[in-house]
Amino acid sequence: MFTAMKNLYQNNFDLFGNNLSHYRRLCGMTQEALGRAVGMNRTYISALEHGRANPTLKLMSTLAIALKVDVGNLLTIPNDYPISEEELQ
């Protein structure tokens, strides 16, 4: 059961990271530019995008504002681009 929960949490981090990268690119921003916009280092943005960092709700909200999307867009499977099961595992 613990392994299943751990995998679920990692899937959420991966989904968030994929969405963050997707919307950042839609805005025409580099990781460095997004980092500057939210007061973070580019390497931290990269860690978020690769599911290696655990963002706070406050940071998720700040990122959403910078990307001009609803915070929910960063946490759900979007309709506007394909995402494969492999990307979430």
Side-chain angles (χ1 to χ4, degrees), residues 20-82:
L20 181 62
S21 176
H22 172 73
Y23 290 112
R24 174 182 59 77
R25 290 170 195 233
L26 277 180
C27 287
M29 297 176 85
T30 62
Q31 289 177 342
E32 187 172 335
L34 179 57
R36 276 195 312 268
V38 299
M40 296 283 158
N41 189 296
R42 181 207 62 81
T43 56
Y44 189 68
I45 299 297
S46 176
L48 288 169
E49 289 185 359
H50 289 93
R52 295 188 310 259
N54 183 3
T56 64
L57 182 56
K58 181 177 180 178
L59 178 57
M60 284 188 254
S61 297
T62 302
L63 289 164
I65 290 167
L67 296 172
K68 298 178 177 69
V69 298
D70 187 272
V71 73
N73 292 36
L74 298 175
L75 300 170
T76 57
I77 297 174
N79 294 326
D80 63 342
Y81 77 98

CSV table of all heavy atoms in Angstrom, one decimal, residues 20-82:
chain,number,residue,atom,x,y,z
A,20,LEU,N,3.7,22.3,-16.0
A,20,LEU,CA,4.5,23.5,-15.8
A,20,LEU,C,5.4,23.7,-17.0
A,20,LEU,O,5.4,24.9,-17.6
A,20,LEU,CB,5.4,23.3,-14.6
A,20,LEU,CG,6.3,24.5,-14.2
A,20,LEU,CD1,5.4,25.7,-13.9
A,20,LEU,CD2,7.2,24.2,-13.0
A,21,SER,N,6.0,22.7,-17.5
A,21,SER,CA,6.9,22.9,-18.7
A,21,SER,C,6.0,23.2,-19.9
A,21,SER,O,6.4,24.1,-20.7
A,21,SER,CB,7.6,21.5,-19.0
A,21,SER,OG,8.3,21.6,-20.2
A,22,HIS,N,4.9,22.6,-20.1
A,22,HIS,CA,4.0,22.9,-21.2
A,22,HIS,C,3.5,24.3,-21.2
A,22,HIS,O,3.7,25.0,-22.3
A,22,HIS,CB,2.8,21.9,-21.2
A,22,HIS,CG,1.7,22.3,-22.2
A,22,HIS,ND1,1.8,22.0,-23.5
A,22,HIS,CD2,0.5,22.8,-22.0
A,22,HIS,CE1,0.7,22.4,-24.1
A,22,HIS,NE2,-0.1,22.9,-23.2
A,23,TYR,N,3.0,24.8,-20.1
A,23,TYR,CA,2.5,26.2,-20.1
A,23,TYR,C,3.6,27.2,-20.1
A,23,TYR,O,3.4,28.3,-20.7
A,23,TYR,CB,1.6,26.4,-18.9
A,23,TYR,CG,0.3,25.6,-19.0
A,23,TYR,CD1,0.0,24.5,-18.2
A,23,TYR,CD2,-0.7,26.0,-20.0
A,23,TYR,CE1,-1.2,23.8,-18.4
A,23,TYR,CE2,-1.8,25.3,-20.2
A,23,TYR,CZ,-2.1,24.2,-19.4
A,23,TYR,OH,-3.3,23.5,-19.6
A,24,ARG,N,4.8,26.9,-19.6
A,24,ARG,CA,5.9,27.8,-19.7
A,24,ARG,C,6.3,28.0,-21.1
A,24,ARG,O,6.5,29.1,-21.6
A,24,ARG,CB,7.1,27.2,-18.9
A,24,ARG,CG,8.4,28.0,-19.0
A,24,ARG,CD,9.5,27.4,-18.3
A,24,ARG,NE,9.9,26.1,-18.7
A,24,ARG,CZ,10.6,25.8,-19.8
A,24,ARG,NH1,10.9,26.7,-20.7
A,24,ARG,NH2,10.8,24.5,-20.1
A,25,ARG,N,6.3,26.9,-21.9
A,25,ARG,CA,6.7,27.0,-23.3
A,25,ARG,C,5.6,27.7,-24.1
A,25,ARG,O,5.9,28.5,-25.0
A,25,ARG,CB,6.9,25.6,-23.9
A,25,ARG,CG,8.2,24.9,-23.3
A,25,ARG,CD,8.2,23.5,-23.7
A,25,ARG,NE,9.2,22.8,-22.9
A,25,ARG,CZ,10.2,22.1,-23.4
A,25,ARG,NH1,10.3,21.9,-24.7
A,25,ARG,NH2,11.1,21.5,-22.6
A,26,LEU,N,4.3,27.5,-23.7
A,26,LEU,CA,3.3,28.2,-24.4
A,26,LEU,C,3.4,29.7,-24.2
A,26,LEU,O,3.0,30.5,-25.1
A,26,LEU,CB,1.9,27.8,-23.9
A,26,LEU,CG,1.3,26.5,-24.5
A,26,LEU,CD1,-0.1,26.2,-23.8
A,26,LEU,CD2,1.1,26.6,-26.0
A,27,CYS,N,3.9,30.1,-23.1
A,27,CYS,CA,4.1,31.5,-22.8
A,27,CYS,C,5.4,32.0,-23.4
A,27,CYS,O,5.7,33.2,-23.4
A,27,CYS,CB,4.2,31.8,-21.3
A,27,CYS,SG,2.6,31.6,-20.5
A,28,GLY,N,6.2,31.1,-24.1
A,28,GLY,CA,7.4,31.5,-24.7
A,28,GLY,C,8.5,31.9,-23.7
A,28,GLY,O,9.4,32.7,-24.0
A,29,MET,N,8.4,31.3,-22.5
A,29,MET,CA,9.4,31.5,-21.4
A,29,MET,C,10.4,30.4,-21.3
A,29,MET,O,10.1,29.3,-21.5
A,29,MET,CB,8.7,31.7,-20.1
A,29,MET,CG,7.7,32.9,-20.0
A,29,MET,SD,6.9,32.9,-18.4
A,29,MET,CE,8.1,33.8,-17.5
A,30,THR,N,11.7,30.8,-21.0
A,30,THR,CA,12.7,29.8,-20.6
A,30,THR,C,12.5,29.5,-19.1
A,30,THR,O,11.8,30.2,-18.4
A,30,THR,CB,14.1,30.4,-20.9
A,30,THR,OG1,14.3,31.5,-20.0
A,30,THR,CG2,14.3,30.8,-22.3
A,31,GLN,N,13.2,28.5,-18.7
A,31,GLN,CA,13.2,28.2,-17.3
A,31,GLN,C,13.8,29.3,-16.5
A,31,GLN,O,13.3,29.7,-15.4
A,31,GLN,CB,14.0,26.9,-17.0
A,31,GLN,CG,13.3,25.6,-17.5
A,31,GLN,CD,14.1,24.4,-17.2
A,31,GLN,OE1,15.3,24.5,-17.0
A,31,GLN,NE2,13.5,23.2,-17.3
A,32,GLU,N,14.8,29.9,-17.0
A,32,GLU,CA,15.4,31.1,-16.4
A,32,GLU,C,14.5,32.3,-16.2
A,32,GLU,O,14.4,32.9,-15.2
A,32,GLU,CB,16.7,31.5,-17.1
A,32,GLU,CG,17.5,32.6,-16.4
A,32,GLU,CD,18.8,32.8,-17.1
A,32,GLU,OE1,19.4,31.9,-17.8
A,32,GLU,OE2,19.3,33.9,-16.9
A,33,ALA,N,13.7,32.6,-17.3
A,33,ALA,CA,12.8,33.7,-17.3
A,33,ALA,C,11.7,33.4,-16.3
A,33,ALA,O,11.3,34.3,-15.5
A,33,ALA,CB,12.2,33.9,-18.7
A,34,LEU,N,11.1,32.2,-16.2
A,34,LEU,CA,10.1,31.8,-15.3
A,34,LEU,C,10.7,31.9,-13.9
A,34,LEU,O,10.0,32.5,-13.0
A,34,LEU,CB,9.5,30.4,-15.5
A,34,LEU,CG,8.4,30.0,-14.6
A,34,LEU,CD1,7.3,31.0,-14.5
A,34,LEU,CD2,8.0,28.6,-14.9
A,35,GLY,N,11.9,31.5,-13.7
A,35,GLY,CA,12.5,31.5,-12.4
A,35,GLY,C,12.6,33.0,-11.9
A,35,GLY,O,12.3,33.3,-10.7
A,36,ARG,N,13.1,33.9,-12.8
A,36,ARG,CA,13.2,35.3,-12.4
A,36,ARG,C,11.8,35.9,-12.1
A,36,ARG,O,11.7,36.6,-11.1
A,36,ARG,CB,13.8,36.1,-13.6
A,36,ARG,CG,15.3,36.1,-13.6
A,36,ARG,CD,15.8,37.1,-14.5
A,36,ARG,NE,15.2,37.2,-15.8
A,36,ARG,CZ,15.7,36.5,-16.9
A,36,ARG,NH1,16.7,35.7,-16.8
A,36,ARG,NH2,15.0,36.6,-18.1
A,37,ALA,N,10.8,35.5,-12.8
A,37,ALA,CA,9.4,36.0,-12.6
A,37,ALA,C,8.9,35.6,-11.2
A,37,ALA,O,8.0,36.4,-10.7
A,37,ALA,CB,8.5,35.5,-13.7
A,38,VAL,N,9.3,34.5,-10.7
A,38,VAL,CA,8.7,34.0,-9.4
A,38,VAL,C,9.8,34.0,-8.3
A,38,VAL,O,9.5,33.6,-7.2
A,38,VAL,CB,8.1,32.6,-9.6
A,38,VAL,CG1,6.9,32.6,-10.5
A,38,VAL,CG2,9.1,31.6,-9.9
A,39,GLY,N,11.0,34.5,-8.6
A,39,GLY,CA,12.0,34.6,-7.6
A,39,GLY,C,12.7,33.3,-7.2
A,39,GLY,O,13.0,33.1,-6.1
A,40,MET,N,12.8,32.4,-8.2
A,40,MET,CA,13.4,31.1,-8.0
A,40,MET,C,14.6,31.0,-9.0
A,40,MET,O,14.6,31.6,-10.0
A,40,MET,CB,12.4,30.0,-8.3
A,40,MET,CG,11.2,30.0,-7.4
A,40,MET,SD,11.7,29.2,-5.8
A,40,MET,CE,10.5,29.9,-4.7
A,41,ASN,N,15.4,30.0,-8.7
A,41,ASN,CA,16.6,29.7,-9.5
A,41,ASN,C,16.1,28.8,-10.6
A,41,ASN,O,15.2,28.0,-10.5
A,41,ASN,CB,17.6,29.0,-8.6
A,41,ASN,CG,18.9,28.8,-9.4
A,41,ASN,OD1,19.0,28.1,-10.4
A,41,ASN,ND2,19.9,29.4,-8.9
A,42,ARG,N,16.7,28.9,-11.8
A,42,ARG,CA,16.4,28.1,-13.0
A,42,ARG,C,16.5,26.6,-12.6
A,42,ARG,O,15.7,25.8,-13.1
A,42,ARG,CB,17.3,28.4,-14.1
A,42,ARG,CG,17.0,27.6,-15.4
A,42,ARG,CD,18.2,27.3,-16.3
A,42,ARG,NE,19.3,26.6,-15.7
A,42,ARG,CZ,19.4,25.3,-15.6
A,42,ARG,NH1,18.4,24.5,-15.9
A,42,ARG,NH2,20.4,24.7,-15.0
A,43,THR,N,17.5,26.2,-11.8
A,43,THR,CA,17.7,24.8,-11.5
A,43,THR,C,16.5,24.3,-10.7
A,43,THR,O,16.1,23.1,-10.8
A,43,THR,CB,19.0,24.5,-10.7
A,43,THR,OG1,19.0,25.4,-9.6
A,43,THR,CG2,20.2,24.8,-11.6
A,44,TYR,N,15.9,25.1,-9.9
A,44,TYR,CA,14.7,24.7,-9.1
A,44,TYR,C,13.5,24.5,-10.0
A,44,TYR,O,12.7,23.6,-9.9
A,44,TYR,CB,14.4,25.7,-8.0
A,44,TYR,CG,13.3,25.2,-7.1
A,44,TYR,CD1,13.5,24.1,-6.2
A,44,TYR,CD2,12.0,25.8,-7.0
A,44,TYR,CE1,12.5,23.6,-5.4
A,44,TYR,CE2,11.0,25.3,-6.2
A,44,TYR,CZ,11.3,24.2,-5.4
A,44,TYR,OH,10.3,23.7,-4.6
A,45,ILE,N,13.3,25.4,-11.0
A,45,ILE,CA,12.3,25.3,-12.0
A,45,ILE,C,12.5,24.0,-12.8
A,45,ILE,O,11.5,23.2,-13.0
A,45,ILE,CB,12.3,26.5,-13.0
A,45,ILE,CG1,12.0,27.8,-12.3
A,45,ILE,CG2,11.2,26.2,-14.1
A,45,ILE,CD1,10.7,27.9,-11.6
A,46,SER,N,13.7,23.6,-13.1
A,46,SER,CA,14.0,22.4,-13.8
A,46,SER,C,13.6,21.2,-12.9
A,46,SER,O,13.0,20.2,-13.4
A,46,SER,CB,15.5,22.3,-14.1
A,46,SER,OG,15.8,21.0,-14.7
A,47,ALA,N,14.0,21.3,-11.6
A,47,ALA,CA,13.6,20.2,-10.7
A,47,ALA,C,12.1,20.0,-10.6
A,47,ALA,O,11.6,18.9,-10.5
A,47,ALA,CB,14.2,20.4,-9.3
A,48,LEU,N,11.4,21.1,-10.6
A,48,LEU,CA,9.9,21.0,-10.6
A,48,LEU,C,9.4,20.3,-11.8
A,48,LEU,O,8.5,19.5,-11.8
A,48,LEU,CB,9.3,22.4,-10.4
A,48,LEU,CG,9.4,23.1,-9.1
A,48,LEU,CD1,9.0,24.6,-9.2
A,48,LEU,CD2,8.6,22.4,-8.0
A,49,GLU,N,9.9,20.7,-13.0
A,49,GLU,CA,9.5,20.2,-14.2
A,49,GLU,C,9.8,18.7,-14.4
A,49,GLU,O,9.1,18.0,-15.1
A,49,GLU,CB,10.1,21.0,-15.4
A,49,GLU,CG,9.5,22.4,-15.5
A,49,GLU,CD,10.0,23.1,-16.8
A,49,GLU,OE1,10.8,22.6,-17.5
A,49,GLU,OE2,9.5,24.3,-17.0
A,50,HIS,N,10.8,18.3,-13.7
A,50,HIS,CA,11.2,16.8,-13.8
A,50,HIS,C,10.7,16.0,-12.6
A,50,HIS,O,11.1,14.9,-12.4
A,50,HIS,CB,12.7,16.7,-13.9
A,50,HIS,CG,13.2,17.2,-15.2
A,50,HIS,ND1,13.7,18.4,-15.4
A,50,HIS,CD2,13.3,16.5,-16.4
A,50,HIS,CE1,14.0,18.5,-16.7
A,50,HIS,NE2,13.8,17.4,-17.3
A,51,GLY,N,9.8,16.6,-11.8
A,51,GLY,CA,9.2,15.9,-10.7
A,51,GLY,C,10.1,15.6,-9.5
A,51,GLY,O,9.9,14.6,-8.7
A,52,ARG,N,11.2,16.3,-9.4
A,52,ARG,CA,12.2,16.1,-8.3
A,52,ARG,C,12.1,17.1,-7.2
A,52,ARG,O,12.8,17.0,-6.2
A,52,ARG,CB,13.6,16.2,-8.9
A,52,ARG,CG,13.9,15.1,-9.9
A,52,ARG,CD,15.4,15.1,-10.3
A,52,ARG,NE,15.8,16.4,-10.7
A,52,ARG,CZ,16.0,16.8,-12.0
A,52,ARG,NH1,15.7,16.0,-13.0
A,52,ARG,NH2,16.5,18.0,-12.2
A,53,ALA,N,11.1,18.0,-7.3
A,53,ALA,CA,10.9,19.0,-6.2
A,53,ALA,C,9.4,19.0,-5.8
A,53,ALA,O,8.6,18.7,-6.6
A,53,ALA,CB,11.4,20.3,-6.6
A,54,ASN,N,9.2,19.4,-4.6
A,54,ASN,CA,7.8,19.4,-4.0
A,54,ASN,C,7.4,20.8,-3.8
A,54,ASN,O,7.8,21.4,-2.8
A,54,ASN,CB,7.8,18.6,-2.7
A,54,ASN,CG,6.5,18.5,-2.1
A,54,ASN,OD1,5.5,18.9,-2.6
A,54,ASN,ND2,6.4,17.8,-0.9
A,55,PRO,N,6.6,21.4,-4.7
A,55,PRO,CA,6.2,22.8,-4.6
A,55,PRO,C,5.1,23.0,-3.5
A,55,PRO,O,4.3,22.1,-3.3
A,55,PRO,CB,5.7,23.1,-5.9
A,55,PRO,CG,5.1,21.8,-6.4
A,55,PRO,CD,6.1,20.8,-5.9
A,56,THR,N,5.2,24.1,-2.8
A,56,THR,CA,4.1,24.5,-1.9
A,56,THR,C,2.9,25.0,-2.7
A,56,THR,O,3.0,25.3,-3.9
A,56,THR,CB,4.6,25.6,-1.0
A,56,THR,OG1,4.8,26.8,-1.7
A,56,THR,CG2,5.8,25.2,-0.2
A,57,LEU,N,1.8,25.0,-2.1
A,57,LEU,CA,0.6,25.6,-2.7
A,57,LEU,C,0.8,27.1,-3.1
A,57,LEU,O,0.4,27.5,-4.2
A,57,LEU,CB,-0.6,25.4,-1.8
A,57,LEU,CG,-1.9,25.9,-2.4
A,57,LEU,CD1,-2.3,25.3,-3.7
A,57,LEU,CD2,-3.1,25.7,-1.4
A,58,LYS,N,1.5,27.8,-2.2
A,58,LYS,CA,1.8,29.2,-2.5
A,58,LYS,C,2.7,29.3,-3.8
A,58,LYS,O,2.4,30.1,-4.6
A,58,LYS,CB,2.6,29.8,-1.3
A,58,LYS,CG,2.9,31.3,-1.5
A,58,LYS,CD,3.6,31.9,-0.3
A,58,LYS,CE,3.9,33.3,-0.6
A,58,LYS,NZ,4.5,34.0,0.6
A,59,LEU,N,3.7,28.4,-3.9
A,59,LEU,CA,4.5,28.5,-5.1
A,59,LEU,C,3.7,28.1,-6.3
A,59,LEU,O,3.9,28.7,-7.4
A,59,LEU,CB,5.8,27.6,-5.0
A,59,LEU,CG,6.7,27.5,-6.2
A,59,LEU,CD1,7.1,28.9,-6.6
A,59,LEU,CD2,7.8,26.6,-6.0
A,60,MET,N,2.9,27.1,-6.2
A,60,MET,CA,2.0,26.7,-7.4
A,60,MET,C,1.2,27.8,-7.8
A,60,MET,O,1.0,28.1,-9.0
A,60,MET,CB,1.1,25.5,-7.0
A,60,MET,CG,1.9,24.2,-7.0
A,60,MET,SD,0.7,22.8,-6.8
A,60,MET,CE,1.0,22.4,-5.1
A,61,SER,N,0.6,28.6,-6.9
A,61,SER,CA,-0.2,29.7,-7.2
A,61,SER,C,0.6,30.8,-7.9
A,61,SER,O,0.2,31.4,-8.8
A,61,SER,CB,-0.9,30.3,-5.9
A,61,SER,OG,-1.7,29.3,-5.4
A,62,THR,N,1.8,31.1,-7.4
A,62,THR,CA,2.7,32.1,-7.9
A,62,THR,C,3.1,31.7,-9.4
A,62,THR,O,3.1,32.5,-10.3
A,62,THR,CB,4.0,32.2,-7.0
A,62,THR,OG1,3.5,32.6,-5.7
A,62,THR,CG2,4.9,33.3,-7.6
A,63,LEU,N,3.4,30.4,-9.6
A,63,LEU,CA,3.7,30.0,-10.9
A,63,LEU,C,2.6,30.1,-11.9
A,63,LEU,O,2.7,30.5,-13.0
A,63,LEU,CB,4.2,28.5,-10.9
A,63,LEU,CG,5.6,28.2,-10.2
A,63,LEU,CD1,5.7,26.8,-9.9
A,63,LEU,CD2,6.7,28.7,-11.2
A,64,ALA,N,1.4,29.7,-11.4
A,64,ALA,CA,0.2,29.9,-12.2
A,64,ALA,C,-0.1,31.3,-12.6
A,64,ALA,O,-0.4,31.6,-13.8
A,64,ALA,CB,-1.0,29.3,-11.5
A,65,ILE,N,0.1,32.2,-11.7
A,65,ILE,CA,-0.1,33.6,-12.0
A,65,ILE,C,0.9,34.1,-13.1
A,65,ILE,O,0.6,34.8,-14.0
A,65,ILE,CB,0.0,34.5,-10.7
A,65,ILE,CG1,-1.2,34.2,-9.8
A,65,ILE,CG2,0.2,36.0,-11.1
A,65,ILE,CD1,-1.1,34.8,-8.4
A,66,ALA,N,2.2,33.7,-12.9
A,66,ALA,CA,3.2,34.1,-13.9
A,66,ALA,C,2.9,33.5,-15.2
A,66,ALA,O,3.3,34.1,-16.3
A,66,ALA,CB,4.6,33.6,-13.4
A,67,LEU,N,2.3,32.3,-15.3
A,67,LEU,CA,2.0,31.7,-16.6
A,67,LEU,C,0.6,32.0,-17.1
A,67,LEU,O,0.2,31.6,-18.2
A,67,LEU,CB,2.1,30.1,-16.4
A,67,LEU,CG,3.5,29.6,-16.1
A,67,LEU,CD1,3.4,28.1,-15.7
A,67,LEU,CD2,4.5,29.9,-17.2
A,68,LYS,N,-0.1,32.8,-16.3
A,68,LYS,CA,-1.5,33.3,-16.7
A,68,LYS,C,-2.4,32.1,-16.9
A,68,LYS,O,-3.2,32.1,-17.9
A,68,LYS,CB,-1.4,34.2,-17.9
A,68,LYS,CG,-0.6,35.5,-17.7
A,68,LYS,CD,-0.5,36.3,-18.9
A,68,LYS,CE,0.2,37.6,-18.7
A,68,LYS,NZ,1.6,37.5,-18.5
A,69,VAL,N,-2.3,31.1,-16.0
A,69,VAL,CA,-3.3,30.0,-16.0
A,69,VAL,C,-3.8,29.8,-14.6
A,69,VAL,O,-3.3,30.3,-13.7
A,69,VAL,CB,-2.6,28.7,-16.5
A,69,VAL,CG1,-2.1,28.8,-17.9
A,69,VAL,CG2,-1.5,28.2,-15.6
A,70,ASP,N,-4.9,29.1,-14.6
A,70,ASP,CA,-5.5,28.7,-13.3
A,70,ASP,C,-4.6,27.6,-12.6
A,70,ASP,O,-4.0,26.8,-13.3
A,70,ASP,CB,-6.9,28.1,-13.5
A,70,ASP,CG,-7.6,27.9,-12.2
A,70,ASP,OD1,-7.4,26.8,-11.6
A,70,ASP,OD2,-8.3,28.8,-11.7
A,71,VAL,N,-4.4,27.7,-11.3
A,71,VAL,CA,-3.6,26.7,-10.7
A,71,VAL,C,-4.0,25.3,-10.9
A,71,VAL,O,-3.2,24.4,-11.0
A,71,VAL,CB,-3.4,27.0,-9.1
A,71,VAL,CG1,-4.7,26.7,-8.4
A,71,VAL,CG2,-2.3,26.3,-8.5
A,72,GLY,N,-5.3,25.1,-11.1
A,72,GLY,CA,-5.9,23.8,-11.5
A,72,GLY,C,-5.3,23.2,-12.8
A,72,GLY,O,-5.2,22.0,-12.9
A,73,ASN,N,-4.9,24.1,-13.7
A,73,ASN,CA,-4.3,23.7,-15.0
A,73,ASN,C,-3.0,23.0,-14.7
A,73,ASN,O,-2.6,22.2,-15.5
A,73,ASN,CB,-4.1,24.9,-15.9
A,73,ASN,CG,-5.4,25.4,-16.4
A,73,ASN,OD1,-6.4,25.5,-15.7
A,73,ASN,ND2,-5.4,25.9,-17.6
A,74,LEU,N,-2.3,23.3,-13.7
A,74,LEU,CA,-1.0,22.7,-13.4
A,74,LEU,C,-1.2,21.4,-12.7
A,74,LEU,O,-0.2,20.6,-12.6
A,74,LEU,CB,-0.2,23.6,-12.5
A,74,LEU,CG,0.2,25.0,-13.1
A,74,LEU,CD1,0.9,25.9,-12.1
A,74,LEU,CD2,1.0,24.8,-14.4
A,75,LEU,N,-2.4,21.1,-12.2
A,75,LEU,CA,-2.6,19.8,-11.4
A,75,LEU,C,-3.5,18.8,-12.1
A,75,LEU,O,-3.7,17.7,-11.5
A,75,LEU,CB,-3.2,20.2,-10.1
A,75,LEU,CG,-2.4,21.2,-9.2
A,75,LEU,CD1,-3.2,21.7,-8.1
A,75,LEU,CD2,-1.1,20.5,-8.8
A,76,THR,N,-4.0,19.1,-13.3
A,76,THR,CA,-4.9,18.1,-14.0
A,76,THR,C,-4.4,17.8,-15.4
A,76,THR,O,-3.6,18.6,-15.9
A,76,THR,CB,-6.3,18.7,-14.1
A,76,THR,OG1,-6.3,20.0,-14.8
A,76,THR,CG2,-6.9,19.0,-12.7
A,77,ILE,N,-4.8,16.7,-15.9
A,77,ILE,CA,-4.5,16.3,-17.2
A,77,ILE,C,-5.2,17.2,-18.2
A,77,ILE,O,-6.4,17.3,-18.2
A,77,ILE,CB,-4.8,14.8,-17.5
A,77,ILE,CG1,-4.0,13.9,-16.6
A,77,ILE,CG2,-4.5,14.5,-19.0
A,77,ILE,CD1,-4.4,12.4,-16.6
A,78,PRO,N,-4.4,18.0,-18.9
A,78,PRO,CA,-5.0,19.0,-19.8
A,78,PRO,C,-5.7,18.4,-21.1
A,78,PRO,O,-5.3,17.3,-21.5
A,78,PRO,CB,-3.9,19.9,-20.2
A,78,PRO,CG,-2.7,19.0,-20.1
A,78,PRO,CD,-3.0,18.0,-19.0
A,79,ASN,N,-6.6,19.1,-21.6
A,79,ASN,CA,-7.3,18.6,-22.8
A,79,ASN,C,-6.6,19.1,-24.1
A,79,ASN,O,-6.8,18.6,-25.2
A,79,ASN,CB,-8.7,19.1,-22.9
A,79,ASN,CG,-9.6,18.5,-21.8
A,79,ASN,OD1,-9.4,17.4,-21.4
A,79,ASN,ND2,-10.5,19.3,-21.3
A,80,ASP,N,-5.7,20.1,-23.9
A,80,ASP,CA,-5.1,20.8,-25.1
A,80,ASP,C,-3.8,20.2,-25.5
A,80,ASP,O,-3.1,20.7,-26.4
A,80,ASP,CB,-5.0,22.3,-24.8
A,80,ASP,CG,-4.0,22.6,-23.7
A,80,ASP,OD1,-3.8,21.8,-22.8
A,80,ASP,OD2,-3.6,23.8,-23.6
A,81,TYR,N,-3.3,19.1,-24.9
A,81,TYR,CA,-2.1,18.4,-25.4
A,81,TYR,C,-2.1,17.0,-24.9
A,81,TYR,O,-2.6,16.7,-23.8
A,81,TYR,CB,-0.8,19.1,-25.0
A,81,TYR,CG,-0.3,19.0,-23.6
A,81,TYR,CD1,0.7,18.0,-23.3
A,81,TYR,CD2,-0.8,19.8,-22.6
A,81,TYR,CE1,1.1,17.9,-22.0
A,81,TYR,CE2,-0.3,19.6,-21.3
A,81,TYR,CZ,0.6,18.7,-21.0
A,81,TYR,OH,1.1,18.5,-19.8
A,82,PRO,N,-1.6,16.1,-25.7
A,82,PRO,CA,-1.6,14.7,-25.3
A,82,PRO,C,-0.5,14.4,-24.3
A,82,PRO,O,0.5,15.0,-24.3
A,82,PRO,CB,-1.2,14.0,-26.6
A,82,PRO,CG,-0.5,15.0,-27.5
A,82,PRO,CD,-1.0,16.3,-27.1
